[in-house]
Amino acid sequence: MRFPVAVVSPWKPAVSWSRRRVSAAPVELSSGRLELHGHARAPGCWLRFETSRTGEMWPGEGASGGELRTVEPLEYYRRFLKENCRPDGRELGEFRTTTVNIGSITTADGSALVKFGNTTVICGVKAELATPTEDSANKGYIVPNVELPSLCSPRFRSGPPGEEAQAASQFIADVIENSQIIEKEDLCIANGKLVWVLYCDIICMDYDGNLLDASAFALLAALKNVQLPSVIISEETGLSEVNFKQKNPLMIRKHPVATSFAIFDDTLLIVDPNAEEEDLATGTVTVVTDEEDRLCSVHKPGGSPLTGAKLQDCITRAITRQREVKKLIDKVINSIKPK
């Protein structure tokens, strides 16, 4: 069985290794934007690149890129940042190739797999029936959990959830609560008697930075894929009767999208940081917005402070990203709807 996949792919750098201009041609992406295939330089600019024996590229003179990257990784990055580009060829405001696959886990009530470059996250949603508490008699529950198994990166260990996994789980819980992605009243079947509980398990399969953006993306796509069976409570027996032949989609009220930035040298912002960039950054910030351009939350776990102007720039970029992500998800959802 084949599942639909949609990809938003930024330009791929076609780098000249001599002092020549880099050609660039406009290409329309599935996100509806026009991008240029070429190096991350302004039109008409000249830039000299060198390569190591492995084909790695870096700007400027001096030690080989491989040696400098090992001994002085921050200085290695600064050489690129001075030229408004990054070692992987992206511009400072360029996202990695984004891929989403919806409905790939047949045993879940909804699922999605999301890739940001090498970072791969999968979300599975399992729905169960439960009795509500007295103080929330007409509300269901959404229980998110982010897992970072040892297989996704050497930095994580097997065993109980680590600090980063717990922080990510709390971030997703805050996004759900602040954005009102789902009204919990919509999960109520019978007031005071029966509600739905949605267990949202988010597992990182390959870690290369920007876990929060990928997790929020996967959660939204998986919830959009959820189909809940019809449930009624028999008046004769008082028991619940589940009709698996009649299913209805969840009512998604908002579409929150997270956009993360790394801060270099207290002033420079780069979007969608990979793991190496996160380690070298002096701080990170994640902005969550919805389709109404509403700011749902700002997550900044310490590090370098941001000026009001810098934060506003982050919000503006996050609003643009939200529209791209929503358009991508809608395109995949529409492709799997029965004709």
Side-chain angles (χ1 to χ4, degrees), residues 163 167 212 261-264 266 269 278 281-286 298-306:
E163 182 178 343
L212 300 185
F261 304 83
I263 309 169
F264 270 82
D266 299 330
L269 289 171
E278 287 181 343
T282 55
T284 59
V285 59
T286 301
V298 175
H299 175 72
K300 191 176 186 313
S304 300
L306 276 181

Side-chain angles (χ1 to χ4, degrees), residues 39-159:
H39 197 266
R41 294 286 291 172
C45 288
W46 301 78
L47 179 62
R48 176 178 166 221
F49 279 87
E50 300 172 351
T51 59
S52 64
R53 288 187 295 272
T54 60
E56 191 175 48
M57 67 176 186
W58 66 94
E61 310 281 352
S64 71
E67 295 173 359
L68 184 62
R69 191 168 197 168
T70 302
V71 179
E72 292 288 345
L74 185 56
E75 181 59 32
Y76 173 82
Y77 261 84
R78 282 172 177 156
R79 291 192 179 188
F80 283 91
L81 299 180
K82 288 179 182 178
E83 304 296 340
N84 293 321
C85 63
R86 293 143 86 170
D88 60 6
R90 287 186 290 160
E91 293 180 353
L92 304 187
E94 191 75 26
F95 292 88
R96 288 173 287 181
T97 300
T98 302
T99 307
V100 57
N101 182 317
I102 293 180
S104 53
I105 305 179
T106 57
T107 54
D109 294 297
S111 64
L113 184 145
V114 168
K115 295 190 68 174
F116 284 13
N118 291 328
T119 296
T120 305
V121 171
I122 191 166
C123 177
V125 180
K126 197 68 177 177
E128 295 183 4
L129 296 173
T131 303
T133 59
E134 293 183 1
D135 57 343
S136 301
N138 64 334
K139 295 181 180 180
Y141 305 93
I142 306 175
V143 184
N145 181 57
V146 177
E147 295 183 24
L148 295 170
S150 57
L151 65 85
C152 75
S153 172
R155 70 172 66 194
F156 305 118
R157 296 289 181 264
S158 300

Side-chain angles (χ1 to χ4, degrees), residues 127-339:
E128 295 183 4
L129 296 173
T131 303
T133 59
E134 293 183 1
D135 57 343
S136 301
N138 64 334
K139 295 181 180 180
Y141 305 93
I142 306 175
V143 184
N145 181 57
V146 177
E147 295 183 24
L148 295 170
S150 57
L151 65 85
C152 75
S153 172
R155 70 172 66 194
F156 305 118
R157 296 289 181 264
S158 300
E163 182 178 343
E164 191 165 350
Q166 294 181 52
S169 296
Q170 185 59 53
F171 169 80
I172 294 299
D174 292 341
V175 169
I176 293 172
E177 187 68 28
N178 296 333
S179 68
Q180 297 297 304
I181 183 173
I182 294 176
E183 293 287 351
K184 294 181 180 179
E185 289 82 359
D186 294 338
L187 300 176
C188 180
I189 299 170
N191 197 330
K193 296 181 179 179
L194 201 62
V195 297
W196 284 111
V197 181
L198 302 181
Y199 293 99
C200 306
D201 292 315
I202 302 170
I203 303 173
C204 182
M205 309 300 293
D206 192 351
Y207 181 87
D208 189 23
N210 205 0
L211 172 70
L212 300 185
D213 288 15
S215 297
F217 190 155
L219 173 73
L220 176 59
L223 290 175
K224 295 272 287 184
N225 180 237
V226 170
Q227 297 279 331
L228 295 179
S230 174
V231 180
I232 60 173
I233 296 181
S234 173
E235 295 181 357
E236 297 179 357
T237 63
L239 301 176
S240 60
E241 298 177 357
V242 182
N243 183 1
F244 290 99
K245 294 182 179 180
Q246 182 181 351
K247 293 188 176 183
N248 301 300
L250 276 177
M251 178 67 71
I252 306 298
R253 302 286 183 173
K254 300 294 181 182
H255 295 77
V257 173
T259 305
S260 292
F261 304 83
I263 309 169
F264 270 82
D265 295 329
D266 299 330
T267 57
L268 195 62
L269 289 171
I270 64 172
V271 73
D272 184 20
N274 59 32
E276 185 177 29
E277 291 166 345
E278 287 181 343
D279 291 340
L280 296 174
T282 55
T284 59
V285 59
T286 301
V287 178
V288 182
T289 59
D290 63 19
E291 64 270 35
E292 296 178 356
D293 298 347
R294 185 172 62 98
L295 181 62
C296 300
S297 66
V298 175
H299 175 72
K300 191 176 186 313
S304 300
L306 276 181
T307 64
K310 289 287 186 182
L311 180 58
Q312 185 57 53
D313 182 36
C314 292
I315 295 173
T316 300
R317 295 196 213 179
I319 289 173
T320 301
R321 176 64 169 173
Q322 191 281 334
R323 292 168 182 164
E324 295 171 354
V325 168
K326 184 178 183 300
K327 183 177 180 181
L328 179 61
I329 294 177
D330 288 344
K331 179 179 180 181
V332 181
I333 292 295
N334 291 333
S335 71
I336 63 179
K337 286 182 178 179
K339 304 295 183 181

